[in-house]
Amino acid sequence: MADRLTQLQDCLDQLATQFYASLRYLSSHHSSSSTLPPNPHLPPFPSTDTNPHQRPDTPTAFAGAQRELASDLVEKVKQIEYLTGTLPGLEKSEESQVTRIGELEEELRMVEDERKAAVNEREECLERLEEVIGRVGRVKT
């Protein structure tokens, strides 16, 4: 499973994709009727229809799709807020974080010392084993 920051980045990428897909759907499936009355002081807005074969959704279907798209966006934002809230360090002061880092560094030094001791012990055991094998080989000859 991915770490929280990777999950958060994935969610943000998905949110951006959902925004794009929602805007594309809304711009391509709306009816061409204007929602505002014409303004005599402005030139007419050019049509953006690039596909003459595309039919707009019925008002009921379009409204249902809008609700579904909005619901999906809200759910993704809630997921992002949850992941952001679970990130470590948001509720801790800088001093406590520095103290914790110091504790972890000390623990890391101790574990590294244990690792070095284990490596030395392994090398000593390997040398003794080679010595024993060498003696057994000389006895047989």
Side-chain angles (χ1 to χ4, degrees):
M1 181 153 192
D3 64 280
R4 289 183 194 138
L5 286 177
T6 303
Q7 289 175 339
L8 184 58
Q9 183 61 51
D10 289 344
C11 283
L12 289 170
D13 292 344
Q14 292 166 359
L15 181 65
T17 302
Q18 283 179 313
F19 274 131
Y20 174 78
S22 297
L23 289 173
R24 182 162 173 82
Y25 173 82
L26 295 173
S27 66
S28 64
H29 289 82
H30 67 85
S31 66
S32 297
S33 64
S34 176
T35 57
L36 299 174
N39 187 339
H41 303 292
L42 296 175
F45 192 73
S47 174
T48 58
D49 293 337
T50 57
N51 187 354
H53 303 291
Q54 186 172 7
R55 287 181 245 142
D57 287 346
T58 64
T60 305
F62 188 69
Q66 284 178 317
R67 281 190 296 279
E68 184 178 341
L69 291 170
S71 173
D72 291 345
L73 290 171
V74 168
E75 285 300 315
K76 188 56 70 175
V77 169
K78 285 180 182 178
Q79 187 178 8
I80 290 170
E81 287 177 352
Y82 171 76
L83 287 171
T84 303
T86 62
L87 290 174
L90 293 178
E91 69 282 346
K92 297 182 180 178
S93 69
E94 183 177 348
E95 291 175 9
S96 66
Q97 290 180 28
V98 169
T99 303
R100 178 68 178 142
I101 289 172
E103 292 169 357
L104 291 172
E105 286 175 344
E106 181 60 33
E107 184 179 334
L108 180 62
R109 276 193 283 281
M110 290 180 354
V111 169
E112 179 63 17
D113 291 343
E114 290 174 10
R115 186 195 67 81
K116 286 179 182 179
V119 167
N120 289 337
E121 183 181 348
R122 181 190 58 125
E123 288 174 1
E124 290 172 5
C125 289
L126 186 60
E127 288 174 8
R128 285 188 301 205
L129 181 63
E130 287 174 352
E131 199 176 292
V132 168
I133 291 173
R135 280 192 226 144
V136 169
R138 279 182 270 173
V139 170
K140 285 188 174 184
T141 56

